[in-house]
Amino acid sequence: MDEEYDVIVLGTGLKECILSGLLSVDGLKVLHMDRNDYYGGESSSLNLIQLWKRFRGSEAPPSHLGSSRDYNVDMIPKFMMANGTLVRVLIHTDVTKYLYFKAVDGSFVYNKGKVHKVPATDVEALKSPLMGIFEKRRARKFFIYVQNYDETDPKTHEGMDLTRVRTRDLIAKYGLDDNTVEFIGHSLALHRDDRYLDEPALDTVKRMKLYAESLARFAGGSPYIYPLYGLGELPQAFARLSAVYGGTYMLNKPECKVEFNDEGQVIGVTSEGETAKCKKVVCDPSYLPNKVRKVGKVARAICIMSHPIPNTNDSHSVQVILPQKQLGRKSDMYLFCSSYSHNVAPKGKFIAFVSTEAETDNPEIELRPGIELLGPVDEMFIDTYDRFEPVNEPSLDNCFISASYDATTHFESTVVDVLNMYTMITGKVVDLSVDLSAASAAEE
């Protein structure tokens, strides 16, 4: 271990593994360590015995749930946008050859006590029970504007500069009501709160276009895809990539103490009495607790069920977004469900998560609106975890710390954090202008 590395990465969460892979491909000498004896860190995937051990201690799981090894329960479950940034990173790095994806069946939104399919195109808008007849026409016009919008072609801009026009004002031009604005902002553009309404509209239009393009990619019921056997495959796939390019991996390394010189710059990492020297450290918040601050808490319910979520067209995999205003909250709530169709549970079993940014100290009551939509559950675990973000100055100490995972059930915000960190570490931007058709073979 007494060698010098360009970068030492601590923790094998998804963010750390993507960075380790990207940096290794760049030709940097990378050492990747984890205090755990398994991959994934906070974003690990657990079998039934591991799940029980984590939440119920010594108790054994009941036999009627089936074989432990048929379960792959992702601790931070998130779907991927089929045309989104994470898929572009997977293709850019050729990690797709280690993974198999399957489309997610459904994308739904909660409105006035009911669950509805999210309309994503002008055609779907006309069929949606979310809107009355006149509102449908207005929404259709807005969807057509978004579909035709091309940043490089002023003829499609209808005289508006979307880098300056607020989202609120763009929407007002089409006369859409609050109900429609809500599902567009939260279920299509995937904003987590309503701040976007006073920000430039370009970001929202791009997000809506991404949703529609991802939906069209599979002509399925949702814009999302998910790996067979769950997300636990992802960190390992990037670990393999790093190894192919000369990266070194060490699991089960206790302590992993980051060492600094008198100027406060990182010089290495010590574990079991040996120190590996390095120029930079990349890690999750748990490895440098004095350089992060708590910014929130996620509350979630993890449920094992014997049926799909009701009113989702029997979808075996699905996301349901419960917008904040529907619940009188400050942040959205998310339902995630996957099942044996993605090989994450035995036949006939479904894994559902209800998650949200905690606003009280009583997660069970706070999560109730989402839990009530699930129908009967076989087993339920209520859990909370704190969210941290870095407060250090990486240009001074050469420590690059990822932010904790948020409550959303999709990956777009996670990948933005990774790409920003990559740019801070290398001074470069990842070129994601990749041929997306290259992924189709891995997605069949």
Side-chain angles (χ1 to χ4, degrees):
M1 200 168 124
D2 296 328
E3 280 186 61
E4 177 137 10
Y5 296 86
D6 294 313
V7 180
I8 294 180
V9 181
L10 300 176
T12 51
L14 180 61
K15 292 183 185 184
E16 290 72 38
C17 286
I18 295 176
L19 283 165
S20 165
L22 289 171
L23 297 170
S24 299
V25 170
D26 273 356
L28 296 180
K29 189 174 179 186
V30 176
L31 171 63
H32 201 144
M33 299 161 70
D34 195 320
R35 60 169 88 86
N36 298 314
D37 59 357
Y38 55 85
Y39 284 101
E42 287 301 307
S43 52
S44 61
S45 191
L46 306 183
N47 64 31
L48 205 56
I49 289 169
Q50 290 167 326
L51 187 68
W52 245 254
K53 186 176 169 190
R54 176 160 173 175
F55 293 108
R56 301 262 167 93
S58 55
E59 204 181 304
S63 57
H64 68 82
L65 293 178
S67 166
S68 170
R69 61 192 175 84
D70 288 340
Y71 285 85
N72 294 290
V73 182
D74 293 319
M75 287 294 96
I76 310 279
K78 290 178 187 289
F79 291 131
M80 290 173 221
M81 203 62 103
N83 243 23
T85 319
L86 180 54
V87 170
R88 289 172 185 272
V89 170
L90 294 173
I91 296 161
H92 166 77
T93 53
D94 206 22
V95 164
T96 40
K97 67 184 174 202
Y98 302 125
L99 298 160
Y100 285 92
F101 291 97
K102 192 170 173 181
V104 171
D105 294 338
S107 173
F108 289 79
V109 61
Y110 176 79
N111 182 270
K112 296 181 180 146
K114 288 188 174 156
V115 173
H116 299 275
K117 185 178 190 311
V118 176
T121 62
D122 57 311
V123 178
E124 288 193 344
L126 287 176
K127 292 187 208 153
S128 176
L130 279 168
M131 297 171 283
I133 185 79
F134 296 113
E135 184 68 5
K136 282 178 177 173
R137 288 179 194 163
R138 292 189 286 268
R140 179 171 182 265
K141 281 183 184 159
F142 180 59
F143 278 133
I144 289 171
Y145 168 74
V146 170
Q147 281 160 19
N148 293 338
Y149 183 87
D150 177 350
E151 223 176 326
T152 61
D153 181 0
K155 287 202 286 292
T156 67
H157 297 183
E158 295 186 7
M160 288 180 287
D161 177 359
L162 296 195
T163 62
R164 308 174 86 116
V165 173
R166 295 184 309 169
T167 312
R168 186 186 296 285
D169 300 326
L170 171 65
I171 285 167
K173 185 181 175 207
Y174 288 88
L176 301 178
D177 71 25
D178 288 350
N179 200 34
T180 308
V181 172
E182 183 181 75
F183 84 71
I184 285 173
H186 292 257
S187 304
L188 292 176
L190 301 178
H191 291 295
R192 287 175 281 176
D193 52 43
D194 282 343
R195 280 179 298 198
Y196 75 95
L197 287 167
D198 294 309
E199 290 168 356
L202 182 61
D203 178 48
T204 294
V205 167
K206 281 181 165 174
R207 285 164 171 248
M208 287 178 70
K209 287 179 83 68
L210 171 62
Y211 190 103
E213 287 159 8
S214 298
L215 187 68
R217 183 121 181 245
F218 285 102
S222 89
Y224 303 109
I225 59 175
Y226 199 65
L228 290 180
Y229 303 101
L231 294 176
E233 302 293 299
L234 271 177
Q236 294 187 53
F238 278 101
R240 276 184 220 154
L241 174 76
S242 175
V244 165
Y245 284 89
T248 305
Y249 268 75
M250 295 181 182
L251 295 181
N252 212 5
K253 296 296 282 184
E255 291 163 0
C256 291
K257 181 172 179 281
V258 182
E259 306 285 359
F260 297 90
N261 63 15
D262 294 341
E263 280 84 58
Q265 295 165 315
V266 70
I267 52 170
V269 175
T270 300
S271 174
E272 296 176 311
E274 293 182 288
T275 301
K277 297 186 182 68
C278 65
K279 302 181 186 81
K280 293 174 180 173
V281 159
V282 173
C283 66
D284 71 44
S286 70
Y287 285 87
L288 284 171
N290 59 338
K291 290 183 182 281
V292 297
R293 69 185 174 110
K294 182 180 166 181
V295 288
K297 187 160 82 167
V298 173
R300 60 197 182 155
I302 305 165
C303 304
I304 300 173
M305 316 193 299
S306 299
H307 58 86
I309 295 177
N311 307 310
T312 59
N313 303 338
D314 283 337
S315 297
H316 281 209
S317 50
V318 69
Q319 173 178 270
V320 184
I321 293 180
L322 288 73
Q324 55 182 77
K325 280 188 185 154
Q326 295 290 325
L327 307 173
R329 294 174 49 80
K330 298 190 197 74
S331 49
D332 293 356
M333 191 173 292
Y334 302 87
L335 302 192
F336 166 101
C337 180
S338 60
S339 68
Y340 59 95
S341 71
H342 276 86
N343 300 353
V344 298
K347 193 154 179 58
K349 293 295 178 192
F350 295 75
I351 309 292
F353 277 72
V354 183
S355 59
T356 191
E357 185 67 25
E359 295 174 10
T360 70
D361 290 328
N362 197 328
E364 201 154 352
I365 289 174
E366 204 168 337
L367 293 166
R368 192 175 288 157
I371 294 168
E372 284 173 351
L373 295 177
L374 298 179
V377 300
D378 302 340
E379 294 286 344
M380 180 162 65
F381 308 90
I382 302 282
D383 180 39
T384 60
Y385 65 87
D386 291 333
R387 285 196 309 112
F388 297 94
E389 62 182 32
V391 291
N392 65 315
E393 182 43 72
S395 61
L396 300 179
D397 61 12
N398 287 323
C399 295
F400 301 85
I401 307 167
S402 63
S404 304
Y405 296 92
D406 59 33
T408 63
T409 44
H410 51 78
F411 263 116
E412 294 309 294
S413 51
T414 302
V415 192
V416 169
D417 188 31
V418 169
L419 297 181
N420 288 342
M421 287 177 70
Y422 174 85
T423 301
M424 280 198 293
I425 295 163
T426 64
K428 298 189 298 187
V429 175
V430 181
D431 175 19
L432 295 178
S433 55
V434 290
D435 173 15
L436 281 166
S437 65
S440 54
E443 288 160 0
E444 294 306 324

